[in-house]
Amino acid sequence: MNSHSKKIRIAIFLLVTIPNLCSVLFAQSSSLITNVEGRTTYPLDGDWQTIVDPYENGYYNYRYQPSDNGYFMNQKPKDKSDLVEYDFDKSELLKVPGDWNTQREKLFLYEGTIWYKKDFEYHLEKGRRLFVYFGAVNYGAIVYLNGTKLGEHEGGFTPFNFEVTSLVKKKDNFLVVKVDNKRSREFVPTVNTDWWNYGGITRSVSLIEVPLNFIKDYCIQLSKASNNEIRGWVQVDGKDLRQNITLRIPEIGLEKTFVANDNGYVNVNCKATLEFWSPEMPKLYEVIIETQSEKISERIGFRKIETIGDNIVLNGKRIFLKGISAHEEAPVRGGRAYSMDDARTMLQWVKELNGNYIRLAHYPHDESIVRLADEMGILIWAEIPVYWTILWNNEQTFLNAKNQLTEMIMRDKNRASVILWSVANETPLSEERLIFLKKLTEYARKLDGTRLLTAALEHHYVNDTTVVIDDPFGEYLDVIGLNEYIGWYDGLPDKADKIHWETMYEKPIIISEFGADALQGYHGDSLTRWSEEYQANLYEHQIGMLKKIPHLQGLSPWILADFRSPRRNLPGIQDQWNRKGLISDKGIKKKAFYILQQFYQQIN
Ligand code: GCB
């Protein structure tokens, strides 16, 4: 990934050396707006031919140098004597989107390289441009079209794209992706996590066709400073970029035209009287952006999120976040979730809990869940996989984290549901870690000054019963997230009754995790580990304790559903599942689900 890392470094260098204007920062990113009306998109999902290549033989030659005749050339023997030692067309298939682990038994524990190939035909008319867009590939991707390298990407949960205008042919195109999910100490996340390292092209791939001059990206949001002003920017790409850009919201009769500068960039702002988006009334407006050559539209909600003192305030009103954490694991089917149906099941469970909020742990989830949350009125905490013991001193690691943060923010910047960006989870205190995270938060604020910043922190005891929140990183956050496992890793459930909480921050606190493992259907008394009764008991004691936590403004217990983890090896109980779900891997609700449901009902 060296040349890629270099590219990231150059891109980030450009970003930080440009004046501190959020608008200018945005304009430099390589993001490409997708999932909008008015764009021609051609999905490349479905069956891809794949070659499992644990020794990376298709990439390196026998002297371990990158080969210029690797599998990406998709060679065929030229005659009967020719030696070619692979054949995509005779190889097994894998579905895209999807992880490879749950598609083929032999790949369940596989960590390494798999080559993917997809053939397609495409008639691109003159004067049109074409991009190939990947929702996510875990972890590293090197992408080739018709034997030419398009580029590389690092990080398993965010989108990327490459232009293929000059390479695409009418017939016989072959798109090849080298996907590698080997873990490495300097990666983000690092080698040690509590979730399955699902590999593959885990999200949709599509071709996106646009005119020569096209709307590359935009940000349209309610101004932070005013309740009746829309602020944002539009970036067009192509030639002769100084052109008119019209913003329209037909429902309120808004129409305003702006002129892009020579770089195709323009700040937009206009007065607008809008009905605010909220969980009770998730109002979305059709927003149209039109240039001379393109007209695209999508549904956007407008809302204001801020903290006032120790309150979280949505549209001027205090809100308590009744939530749950979730991994991106497909309900019942298992494996990585990626579809609207997966998202709908998960968010309906949140509604059933009487919740208004979900923490999408521990990495950016598929865009479908964020879009659906906009429709359904569920607030989101979105996070990057800066998890546990990242290499704080490694510059490359920092740039990688920063790049993943950028890609997450750029993808979801127009989503009203997203109110919190989280930059880290349970990271151990140290000077280097503070420097790393401080830089990351400063950068996030420049990218998006309209949302709140948070992180899941840890606490410590000053005596047997007093817990203190004094992580110095709290100073840089708007909202303090806090993970605690009183009653599970830390004593028995009734320990919570005696705990006294102190915090050095006059800021809202969200208990971002607490929980206990329970095997659905396993019963015992309230002190029998792994039983549904133990988990339910723990929830009852936790709920009792919550009232004593100063500045508490929300919670997202761990976790909505059981999820796979190689760390969880107790036979007959865990079998490589983290069992802290309120719902089993088969979709069956455990007792604790109803306790939380009732608690959220009472808060209403
Ligand atoms: C945590 C982590 C989460 C784990 C959880 C657990 O604190 O943030 O990723 O899965 O604990 O179950 O231990």
Side-chain angles (χ1 to χ4, degrees):
M1 294 289 133
N2 270 348
S3 70
H4 174 61
S5 307
K6 232 179 271 163
K7 257 182 264 161
I8 293 182
R9 212 183 309 168
I10 295 165
I12 305 271
F13 171 77
L14 282 174
L15 290 180
V16 292
T17 51
I18 292 166
N20 283 350
L21 284 171
C22 123
S23 48
V24 181
L25 285 173
F26 273 129
Q28 291 299 316
S29 139
S30 66
S31 60
L32 170 65
I33 201 94
T34 51
N35 293 316
V36 289
E37 294 291 316
R39 278 266 155 93
T40 312
T41 54
Y42 175 84
L44 292 177
D45 291 345
D47 288 334
W48 288 51
Q49 291 155 334
T50 55
I51 301 175
V52 181
D53 185 18
Y55 283 21
E56 297 177 275
N57 200 46
Y59 187 75
Y60 296 110
N61 63 21
Y62 83 122
R63 295 296 183 219
Y64 205 56
Q65 296 299 315
S67 160
D68 50 13
N69 192 22
Y71 291 179
F72 48 87
M73 296 308 288
N74 185 31
Q75 277 204 327
K76 302 280 167 206
K78 287 179 212 56
D79 53 47
K80 64 180 183 186
S81 315
D82 200 12
L83 175 65
V84 180
E85 291 190 86
Y86 67 96
D87 188 347
F88 272 110
D89 298 328
K90 291 192 178 134
S91 298
E92 284 184 75
L93 304 175
L94 282 170
K95 289 235 181 300
V96 171
D99 62 82
W100 62 54
N101 313 70
T102 57
Q103 291 192 55
R104 209 182 286 165
E105 217 178 320
K106 272 192 291 185
L107 299 177
F108 188 59
L109 283 165
Y110 182 69
E111 294 187 306
T113 284
I114 294 189
W115 294 84
Y116 283 69
K117 177 174 83 79
K118 184 82 174 169
D119 297 328
F120 65 93
E121 299 183 354
Y122 203 92
H123 181 61
L124 185 68
E125 304 222 331
K126 237 180 141 2
R128 305 282 292 173
R129 295 168 70 178
L130 196 68
F131 290 79
V132 57
Y133 181 95
F134 292 82
V137 173
N138 191 40
Y139 170 87
I142 309 181
V143 185
Y144 307 82
L145 181 64
N146 301 334
T148 300
K149 183 171 164 180
L150 301 176
E152 304 187 10
H153 183 262
E154 185 173 346
F157 303 96
T158 44
F160 55 95
N161 66 83
F162 303 105
E163 181 159 11
V164 295
T165 307
S166 60
L167 288 172
V168 73
K169 307 179 290 185
K170 264 196 193 132
K171 277 191 172 3
D172 303 327
N173 292 289
F174 55 98
L175 181 65
V176 174
V177 188
K178 177 185 186 293
V179 182
D180 189 350
N181 76 333
K182 272 195 298 298
R183 287 165 297 134
S184 174
R185 187 69 189 92
E186 70 273 17
F187 286 177
V188 182
T190 181
V191 282
N192 190 26
T193 68
D194 187 21
W195 69 83
W196 209 265
N197 181 23
Y198 290 116
I201 304 182
T202 49
R203 296 185 189 154
S204 284
V205 182
S206 48
L207 294 168
I208 299 181
E209 188 186 320
V210 294
L212 214 51
N213 284 321
F214 73 104
I215 301 160
K216 190 161 185 290
D217 205 354
Y218 55 79
C219 178
I220 305 291
Q221 291 281 281
L222 195 69
S223 149
K224 181 99 184 161
S226 157
N227 282 343
N228 58 358
E229 192 188 3
I230 290 174
R231 266 184 177 278
W233 50 268
V234 181
Q235 174 73 58
V236 290
D237 190 289
K239 285 190 179 138
D240 309 322
L241 292 172
R242 182 172 278 281
Q243 57 177 287
N244 285 350
I245 295 171
T246 303
L247 173 71
R248 271 193 275 135
I249 304 182
E251 197 177 328
I252 54 166
L254 184 143
E255 171 161 347
K256 195 164 169 186
T257 298
F258 304 86
V259 185
N261 67 19
D262 290 338
N263 299 319
Y265 178 84
V266 65
N267 279 312
V268 300
N269 65 307
C270 38
K271 291 270 175 241
T273 306
L274 295 153
E275 211 177 299
F276 291 144
W277 182 99
S278 71
E280 300 77 43
M281 186 66 76
K283 171 76 190 158
L284 300 175
Y285 289 91
E286 189 196 15
V287 175
I288 302 171
I289 297 175
E290 196 167 354
T291 63
Q292 280 135 4
S293 48
E294 228 189 351
K295 177 177 165 187
I296 59 177
S297 70
E298 69 169 323
R299 284 150 59 74
I300 295 181
F302 298 93
R303 55 101 190 93
K304 182 180 252 180
I305 189 75
E306 60 195 326
T307 61
I308 301 180
D310 67 355
N311 287 330
I312 297 175
V313 177
L314 179 71
N315 304 324
K317 277 203 290 201
R318 186 189 158 214
I319 185 163
F320 188 86
L321 303 179
K322 297 174 289 176
I324 188 77
S325 298
H327 262 291
E328 188 181 49
E329 195 126 332
V332 188
R333 186 184 77 239
R336 273 274 165 265
Y338 49 74
S339 69
M340 230 2 145
D341 283 348
D342 294 336
R344 187 161 288 111
T345 307
M346 286 165 73
L347 294 187
Q348 259 158 5
W349 280 336
V350 176
K351 287 269 182 196
E352 232 181 298
L353 271 173
N354 298 312
N356 58 12
Y357 162 66
I358 188 167
R359 173 185 178 207
L360 300 180
H362 280 302
Y363 37 75
H365 289 210
D366 187 67
E367 196 177 349
S368 51
I369 197 163
V370 186
R371 288 195 174 256
L372 191 64
D374 259 17
E375 301 275 344
M376 289 175 67
I378 293 178
L379 298 158
I380 287 181
W381 157 318
E383 125 182 20
I384 51 168
V386 172
Y387 181 90
W388 290 354
T389 53
I390 293 291
L391 280 192
W392 307 111
N393 278 327
N394 188 316
E395 182 62 5
Q396 215 77 316
T397 304
F398 176 76
L399 294 174
N400 182 351
K402 194 170 169 180
N403 186 55
Q404 294 191 42
L405 179 74
T406 309
E407 289 174 345
M408 172 177 77
I409 293 180
M410 292 307 285
R411 192 194 69 182
D412 294 337
K413 60 190 174 306
N414 292 316
R415 301 284 76 81
S417 52
V418 180
I419 53 165
L420 287 154
W421 301 125
S422 171
V423 296
N425 178 76
E426 271 184 13
T427 48
L429 303 192
S430 74
E431 194 49 38
E432 309 82 66
R433 167 258 195 190
L434 189 60
I435 293 169
F436 184 112
L437 293 180
K438 180 172 172 273
K439 279 198 294 181
L440 212 52
T441 40
E442 284 167 356
Y443 173 73
R445 275 191 207 289
K446 281 182 197 162
L447 264 189
D448 181 5
T450 70
R451 289 178 177 82
L452 306 176
L453 290 186
T454 191
L457 307 180
E458 293 177 327
H459 56 82
H460 72 267
Y461 283 90
V462 286
N463 59 42
D464 285 355
T465 52
T466 309
V467 165
V468 179
I469 306 167
D470 59 359
D471 181 336
F473 182 44
E475 190 187 327
Y476 304 98
L477 302 173
D478 301 308
V479 174
I480 309 287
L482 195 98
N483 294 356
E484 52 91 4
Y485 280 91
I486 296 166
W488 185 253
Y489 298 122
D490 175 10
L492 294 175
D494 66 355
K495 182 173 181 185
D497 307 348
K498 301 179 204 78
I499 299 295
H500 170 71
W501 285 81
E502 288 175 6
T503 168
M504 63 183 275
Y505 300 108
E506 290 289 312
K507 295 182 180 186
I509 292 178
I510 293 176
I511 297 296
S512 35
E513 289 182 26
F514 71 79
D517 286 62
L519 178 67
Q520 185 274 321
Y522 178 64
H523 297 286
D525 65 19
S526 60
L527 288 177
T528 303
R529 285 262 172 191
W530 317 110
S531 70
E532 287 197 41
E533 288 70 19
Y534 188 109
Q535 189 189 38
N537 183 31
L538 180 135
Y539 269 70
E540 272 163 0
H541 284 282
Q542 284 282 332
I543 286 168
M545 184 184 72
L546 292 172
K547 300 187 191 97
K548 296 187 282 178
I549 300 179
H551 314 313
L552 186 79
Q553 303 300 352
L555 56 148
S556 54
W558 197 251
I559 189 171
L560 183 61
D562 291 353
F563 61 96
R564 278 205 181 86
S565 168
R567 297 170 62 85
R568 309 293 172 176
N569 288 315
L570 186 64
I573 299 282
Q574 292 178 313
D575 300 314
Q576 302 195 311
W577 288 86
N578 183 314
R579 297 285 182 199
K580 294 192 186 69
L582 294 177
I583 300 174
S584 76
D585 57 297
K586 305 276 182 299
I588 303 172
K589 299 185 179 92
K590 305 178 195 174
K591 287 189 164 176
F593 181 95
Y594 301 101
I595 294 183
L596 189 65
Q597 182 186 52
Q598 202 185 358
F599 175 59
Y600 286 160
Q601 173 67 38
Q602 282 161 7
I603 297 184
N604 281 344

